[in-house]
Amino acid sequence: MRRWILHVDQNSFYASCEQAEHPELRGKPLVVGGSEERRHGIVLARSLEAKRYGIVTAEALWQARNKCPDLIVRPANFRLYMKYSSLARRIYYDYTDLVEPFGPDEAWLDVTHSAYLNGGAEMIAQEISERIRSELGLSVSIGVSWNKVFAKFGSDYKKPDAITHINEDNYQQIVWQSPVRDLLYVGRATERKLHVLGIKTIGELANEPAETLLKCFGKVGGILQTFARGLDDSPVKAYDLESEGVNRIIKSYGNGLTAPHDISNPHDAKALIYMLSESVAQRLREGFVRARTISIGVRGNDLESYTRQTTLSMPTNSTSLVAEAAWQLLAANEALDDNHPLRSLSVRASDLSLISDPVQLSFWSDERVAARERLDNAIDDLRRRFGNTCIQRGIELYDDSLRQVDIKRDHVLHPVGFFYD
């Protein structure tokens, strides 16, 4: 059976949520910005009206104000955005239970079976667009195709408030003529490498000899070529069915923070690593899971970034074990001095298993691990009663600027990976 996949992208999502919640802001240039006091003073999202002034995402708020003196700046309100994200998914579930979120403002929908009951995939796309507008006050762009990658391309192709159908008859004229950077998962670094090979368009990527891509990119080269050719057959996975009474399938837990100042010494770096790990491990315990893989994300003050990961001998949800693994990764890869300051860090735990799952025993370390977990559970109980900052580790107090940060509440990362099994 031929598949029908939609990709729904809510336009200018954060800014649109603010305007939907506060009608007096509609029609006015508005941006959602970070805290200037904590060095997060950049544009996170902009309304359609702000875009007309040339305001771009990630530029400094002072630059945005120079372009538009009457600019309205709203602080980020993630609870509000999650509310609208949930309301949008309730609409999607009226057409299919196969809904795969791709961040809070995007989702794939497999409407293969419901298309024949609702007048076709494009009719469903039109109904969703109209309902999002009338019921939520937001606008969406929707891509319709036979695979997830081209559906995503379609939602990006025309904005705002548009529906684009990418089919077997037009994909070579639309998709293949577009720059290779428009293909899902082709970032700046990959684009530069492809340009070195003389590959500038998605069509050129599709027709490049497979051996060349395999030699230059390994397995990823083959995956990208599959995407370019429209041969992606990955299913839409129902990660979020809470509204249907089914628990969410969580693949990882992560937290990140842009520090209030550049991190240029081991004490401050270790304090932030432990603070992030504390939150990640606490959420592991709340989810009744342990993690075997710990990874870090590092961004310097030059905005260059990288990730590193390690696999533990035994899965854990112990704060100290997560933190020790994350710290070892950072210390092995960073000089941590004035010549190599860091701007932001993140810690992630993945390769999860349930607490109830059997674990290979170790004669020497089991009691030590069990004692740490009992201590962490006691601390969790106090934090549930009195707040996350009622107990803090001494190492987290090295940096005064971080003492009042509730990192578990305010800095959770919610990515959804495309390559999950």
Side-chain angles (χ1 to χ4, degrees):
M1 178 184 291
R2 176 198 173 111
R3 293 203 303 166
W4 290 103
I5 309 297
L6 308 183
H7 185 270
V8 185
D9 185 354
Q10 299 184 63
N11 305 138
S12 305
F13 181 56
Y14 292 174
S16 295
C17 289
E18 295 288 347
Q19 291 178 320
E21 193 75 5
H22 306 282
E24 70 276 10
L25 301 178
R26 295 175 186 173
K28 297 181 180 179
L30 175 148
V31 299
V32 174
S35 168
E36 293 175 278
E37 293 76 17
R38 293 184 177 179
R39 292 203 323 157
H40 304 168
I42 62 173
V43 174
L44 301 176
R46 62 234 161 98
S47 67
L48 297 176
E49 297 80 10
K51 291 179 182 180
R52 298 189 185 107
Y53 285 87
I55 295 171
V56 297
T57 303
E59 76 174 330
L61 290 176
W62 65 265
Q63 293 174 309
R65 290 191 182 97
N66 284 343
K67 295 177 179 177
C68 177
D70 296 327
L71 184 68
I72 298 169
V73 179
R74 298 282 299 182
N77 182 351
F78 292 107
R79 286 188 176 87
L80 174 67
Y81 312 145
M82 292 305 103
K83 181 186 89 169
Y84 277 90
S85 181
S86 176
L87 290 172
R89 286 197 297 275
R90 292 182 187 180
I91 293 175
Y92 306 156
Y93 287 135
D94 284 343
Y95 302 93
T96 177
D97 60 351
L98 295 176
V99 178
E100 180 179 346
F102 194 59
D105 58 334
E106 301 182 43
W108 280 289
L109 288 65
D110 187 334
V111 297
T112 302
H113 297 287
S114 57
Y116 299 99
L117 302 175
N118 293 276
E122 289 196 59
M123 181 65 71
I124 292 176
Q126 187 65 45
E127 285 189 18
I128 288 174
S129 177
E130 292 172 356
R131 289 186 61 185
I132 293 286
R133 185 186 304 107
S134 62
E135 297 176 26
L136 305 185
L138 308 178
S139 70
V140 295
S141 294
I142 302 178
V144 183
S145 192
W146 74 91
N147 66 80
K148 290 166 67 176
V149 173
F150 282 5
K152 165 68 173 165
F153 180 95
S155 69
D156 291 334
Y157 187 67
K158 290 182 181 178
K159 290 180 180 289
D161 198 16
I163 297 173
T164 301
H165 189 179
I166 305 294
N167 56 38
E168 290 92 337
D169 296 327
N170 67 13
Y171 78 94
Q172 293 188 16
Q173 289 73 43
I174 297 177
V175 181
W176 280 16
Q177 302 304 315
S178 299
V180 71
R181 65 174 174 272
D182 291 347
L183 187 68
L184 184 66
Y185 286 107
V186 174
R188 286 181 295 179
T190 302
E191 181 188 23
R192 287 194 296 268
K193 292 178 183 178
L194 290 170
H195 283 182
V196 170
L197 297 176
I199 299 172
K200 301 292 181 65
T201 68
I202 296 174
E204 290 170 343
L205 173 61
N207 293 300
E208 184 73 15
E211 313 82 65
T212 302
L213 296 173
L214 188 64
K215 180 179 179 180
C216 295
F217 297 95
K219 179 181 177 181
V220 172
I223 293 172
L224 293 178
Q225 187 168 64
T226 296
F227 289 177
R229 291 177 174 177
L231 301 178
D232 165 51
D233 61 358
S234 59
V236 173
K237 301 167 189 158
Y239 284 135
D240 188 349
L241 293 177
E242 290 176 315
S243 66
E244 300 294 315
V246 180
N247 290 331
R248 184 194 307 247
I249 300 174
I250 296 177
K251 297 291 185 177
S252 67
Y253 292 84
N255 279 65
L257 178 70
T258 298
H261 58 81
D262 286 344
I263 303 169
S264 57
N265 66 75
H267 287 311
D268 289 350
K270 200 168 189 177
L272 185 50
I273 282 288
Y274 267 78
M275 179 178 287
L276 292 164
S277 300
E278 186 100 53
S279 169
V280 170
Q282 187 177 351
R283 291 166 56 221
L284 287 171
R285 295 188 292 272
E286 290 173 352
F288 301 102
V289 295
R290 295 186 177 98
R292 187 180 288 274
T293 300
I294 305 301
S295 58
I296 62 169
V298 181
R299 175 172 290 185
N301 69 342
D302 57 359
L303 300 185
E304 292 294 321
S305 60
Y306 66 85
T307 61
R308 296 290 186 270
Q309 71 176 41
T310 186
T311 301
L312 306 177
S313 58
M314 292 177 59
T316 186
N317 57 25
S318 163
T319 295
S320 56
L321 294 179
V322 171
E324 287 168 10
W327 171 246
Q328 289 171 10
L329 286 171
L330 182 65
N333 289 279
E334 283 294 335
L336 296 172
D337 56 33
D338 290 335
N339 295 321
H340 303 87
L342 305 182
R343 181 176 177 84
S344 65
L345 289 170
S346 64
V347 173
R348 180 169 300 286
S350 57
D351 191 7
L352 306 181
S353 59
L354 295 173
I355 288 179
S356 58
D357 288 350
V359 177
Q360 178 65 47
L361 298 178
S362 169
F363 181 77
W364 297 107
S365 61
D366 285 344
E367 182 54 36
R368 172 173 170 263
V369 172
R372 291 190 183 194
E373 291 187 356
R374 286 196 297 270
L375 175 61
D376 286 329
N377 287 328
I379 293 173
D380 289 346
D381 185 56
L382 289 171
R383 286 175 171 163
R384 279 190 290 270
R385 295 166 61 191
F386 303 110
N388 280 312
T389 57
C390 72
I391 293 181
Q392 292 178 280
R393 295 173 187 267
I395 195 170
E396 298 174 12
L397 304 179
Y398 272 109
D399 190 337
D400 290 340
S401 63
L402 296 177
R403 291 189 182 187
Q404 300 305 314
V405 175
D406 188 337
I407 206 159
K408 178 174 180 290
R409 182 191 65 199
D410 298 331
H411 300 277
V412 177
L413 302 180
H414 297 284
V416 177
F418 188 85
F419 299 107
Y420 285 148
D421 294 328

